[in-house]
Amino acid sequence: MVVQSALTHCSSIKTCNKPVTDFTSIPVINLGDPESKFLMVKACEEYGFFKVVNHRVPMEFITRLESEALGFFNLSQSEKDKAGPPDPFGYGSKRIGSNGDVGWIEYLLLNTNPQVLSLKTLTVFRENPEIFRSAVNDYIQAVKTMAYEVLELIADGLKIEPRDALSKLLRDENSDSCFRLNHYPPCPELEALSGRNLVGFGEHTDPQIISVLRSNNTSGLQICLKEGTWVSVPPDETSFFINVGDALQVMTNGRLRSVKHRVLANTQKSRVSMIYFGGPPLSEKIVPLTSLMGKQEESLYKEFTWSEYKTSAYKSRLADHRLGLFEKTPSTNQ
Ligand SMILES: C=C1C[C@]23C[C@@]1(O)CC[C@H]2[C@@]12CC[C@H](O)[C@@](C)(C(=O)O1)[C@H]2[C@@H]3C(=O)O
Ligand SMILES: O=C(O)CCC(=O)C(=O)O
Ligand SMILES: [Fe+2]
């Protein structure tokens, strides 16, 4: 994405006032800590968000994929466009989804099934598609393993039985998961003009069960706290950040909350992020887990399958409160 040509589209991309406080009290979970299951549940109840350290994902997988991603994003615009437009998989620039959202971003959206790694994507790597394919697959495999562990710890912490009630949905061969490589180029000109930041990825919640995010050392990610304050998440290239998604909120009958988040483009440095979105099979009914429900407790949500939710989500704009349509008593906040 060339800065000069992209600037001509700036008028449609939102800007944001910069000063937002740092999220200094971010819950940091060490996967080796015997207390981690309780700390995770507390973090998911309070924020729907936490940082994972001691994750056992080899740093080599992370750096290899980051360098492959940069290799792709540094190609000429016409080369990158051969891997687009996203349908939803493939290369996209500025447009996010198909309902009018735009941001200061370019990205590759991929299917996590190694067999289905989009042919369009591979066309860009004519010279050596296997290098890119194996970097993506090694990374996704390692991150999936960590996501299963995180979901099993959350199930333990919530006393859900069996403990794989959540993780089995991601382990399923029909799991509807996806993977995203995001690149937010710096935009120094804009700051000079207005002292504001361009929105890279507008505010939203992730529709799936859980998202596992890793970025380089460039700031930009912000989350929205319960009372509506936005805080900046200090970047940490050696750790992962976990987002609770809408489906997990429903499966816990609102006990864990899906976190509203957004990314602001940095004026000086480019940000590269990689996110695994763990979703259930399309046919899965998304309902509160019985072992979590009190005797008289009723579901806060109407019954729906992941396929129904996904169809509805993909018709929505980023900032829409997607779960609203499925709440028995529509909420006013969010
Ligand atoms: C505007 C949109 C982009 C999105 C599909 C949607 O219509 C609403 C949800 C968006 C989101 C957010 C999390 C993930 O980045 C994503 C891949 C997803 O599953 O839901 C994106 C969708 C997208 O970029 O296509
Ligand atoms: O790029 C990031 O850091 C987060 C992007 C995001 O929220 C998403 O792709 O859903
Ligand atoms: Fe997201």
Side-chain angles (χ1 to χ4, degrees):
M1 188 160 79
V2 182
V3 169
Q4 199 187 1
S5 78
L7 268 174
T8 58
H9 298 265
C10 274
S11 54
S12 53
I13 299 176
K14 289 186 190 132
T15 58
C16 204
N17 265 332
K18 216 188 337 184
V20 166
T21 47
D22 268 359
F23 186 25
T24 43
S25 50
I26 178 169
V28 180
I29 314 285
N30 175 341
L31 282 189
D33 177 352
E35 293 295 297
S36 62
K37 56 186 178 187
F38 302 117
L39 300 173
M40 264 183 209
V41 168
K42 195 164 167 259
C44 292
E45 288 175 341
E46 180 60 27
Y47 305 110
F49 185 84
F50 58 90
K51 171 163 143 174
V52 174
V53 299
N54 190 17
H55 48 68
R56 300 186 279 267
V57 175
M59 217 40 219
E60 185 237 321
F61 289 0
I62 299 173
T63 47
R64 185 151 54 97
L65 182 56
E66 184 175 326
S67 105
E68 283 300 315
L70 279 170
F72 173 78
F73 291 122
N74 286 334
L75 291 172
S76 67
Q77 194 61 52
S78 60
E79 279 298 305
K80 288 184 284 190
D81 285 338
K82 288 181 189 161
D87 62 356
F89 300 122
Y91 170 75
S93 169
K94 296 192 272 302
R95 285 180 227 287
I96 301 172
S98 46
N99 307 308
D101 287 288
V102 286
W104 186 253
I105 186 175
E106 57 178 346
Y107 59 88
L108 269 173
L109 199 47
L110 308 173
N111 195 307
T112 50
N113 185 336
Q115 271 71 49
V116 198
L117 191 54
S118 161
L119 280 177
K120 256 190 307 179
T121 312
L122 290 175
T123 53
V124 178
F125 297 90
R126 273 187 311 267
E127 281 168 26
N128 208 337
E130 278 318 309
I131 295 184
F132 178 71
R133 190 203 288 265
S134 82
V136 170
N137 288 346
D138 288 348
Y139 178 87
I140 291 180
Q141 200 41 58
V143 164
K144 272 184 184 171
T145 304
M146 186 191 68
Y148 305 154
E149 186 177 352
V150 165
L151 286 176
E152 281 157 22
L153 286 165
I154 290 177
D156 281 345
L158 286 169
K159 301 196 172 52
I160 291 172
E161 281 181 349
R163 76 185 296 263
D164 71 349
L166 297 167
S167 64
K168 72 170 187 213
L169 303 174
L170 270 55
R171 288 181 193 273
D172 194 302
E173 59 173 358
N174 294 316
S175 142
D176 181 40
S177 299
C178 60
F179 181 63
R180 173 167 211 138
L181 291 166
N182 288 331
H183 177 224
Y184 305 88
C187 190
E189 286 87 346
L190 189 94
E191 191 193 39
L193 287 175
S194 65
R196 292 165 74 87
N197 276 60
L198 273 184
V199 172
F201 206 116
E203 65 177 76
H204 66 284
T205 59
D206 294 345
Q208 293 82 1
I209 295 176
I210 199 173
S211 315
V212 182
L213 183 155
R214 186 268 170 188
S215 80
N216 66 354
N217 245 347
T218 302
S219 63
L221 179 65
Q222 301 185 340
I223 68 161
C224 187
L225 305 181
K226 265 181 189 164
E227 75 278 11
T229 317
W230 285 95
V231 288
S232 290
V233 178
D236 179 351
E237 61 190 349
T238 63
S239 305
F240 287 90
F241 294 95
I242 306 287
N243 288 355
V244 170
D246 296 339
L248 186 53
Q249 176 168 323
V250 174
M251 295 173 86
T252 57
N253 208 24
R255 189 161 157 193
L256 308 190
R257 58 185 293 262
S258 63
V259 61
K260 211 194 276 180
H261 56 286
R262 67 183 181 195
V263 178
L264 300 190
N266 191 290
T267 52
Q268 307 300 325
K269 285 156 65 186
S270 78
R271 174 178 168 92
V272 178
S273 61
M274 27 186 100
I275 306 119
Y276 162 74
F277 302 94
L282 286 171
S283 59
E284 188 70 23
K285 270 192 192 156
I286 308 300
V287 285
L289 295 162
T290 28
S291 62
L292 255 190
M293 297 290 273
K295 259 197 184 140
Q296 306 290 334
E297 191 176 341
E298 283 193 17
S299 173
L300 299 173
Y301 306 92
K302 300 170 194 163
E303 239 186 66
F304 57 88
T305 61
W306 171 244
S307 167
E308 287 165 336
Y309 190 62
K310 196 179 158 189
T311 304
S312 160
Y314 275 66
K315 285 183 188 151
S316 69
R317 299 285 300 258
L318 266 183
D320 289 346
H321 175 40
R322 281 174 276 286
L323 271 181
L325 289 173
F326 299 87
E327 285 166 355
K328 284 187 181 163
T329 316
S331 62
T332 43
N333 58 356
Q334 265 247 356

